[in-house]
Amino acid sequence: MTAYAIAHLQDVRLGVEIIDYIKRIDATLTPYQGQFLIHGATPEIVEGPWPGDLVIIAFPDMERARAWYQSPGYREILPLRTENSRGVTMLVKGVEPGYRAADFLAKVGLA
């Protein structure tokens, strides 16, 4: 099942360190088959507040998403981002093909 690394970044300082991070992150994704779906996009907000930018990276599964985040290559460049921006980063599993919203009710025992 596809998994995603999602970051909601705020107050990004586009200095030398962030530029270095951007130049180096692709190489950290390759061994884990990670690929950008959204990178630095400012969403068109239709409900609620959303300050900042959005990044979504897809991985074939949660194991590879976790392995990428914990990899020495990514850990080496991570401070270049965290010391030059604020934000929240998470890893999350996607849904199976054909998933429907009502499937959630069965998952929580309400179907």
Side-chain angles (χ1 to χ4, degrees), residues 11-105:
D11 303 323
V12 178
R13 292 180 297 283
L14 287 174
V16 174
E17 290 181 333
I18 288 289
I19 291 168
D20 189 26
Y21 174 87
I22 291 169
K23 288 179 178 179
R24 295 170 63 187
I25 190 171
D26 289 316
T28 72
L29 295 170
T30 301
Y32 306 96
Q33 296 176 293
Q35 62 181 2
F36 281 98
L37 299 180
I38 298 171
H39 186 220
T42 301
E44 178 180 333
I45 304 305
V46 295
E47 293 182 30
W50 183 276
D53 297 310
L54 181 64
V55 176
I56 301 177
I57 303 169
F59 294 88
D61 51 52
M62 187 61 95
E63 291 74 26
R64 281 180 264 204
R66 285 186 190 114
W68 163 74
Y69 191 79
Q70 296 298 329
S71 70
Y74 188 65
R75 290 314 212 171
E76 180 181 326
I77 67 169
L78 181 59
L80 299 173
R81 178 179 56 79
T82 59
E83 293 174 7
N84 291 283
S85 66
R86 289 186 312 113
V88 175
T89 302
M90 65 192 83
L91 302 177
V92 62
K93 288 182 185 178
V95 297
E96 296 288 340
Y99 175 89
R100 299 183 49 83
D103 295 344
F104 176 78
L105 298 176

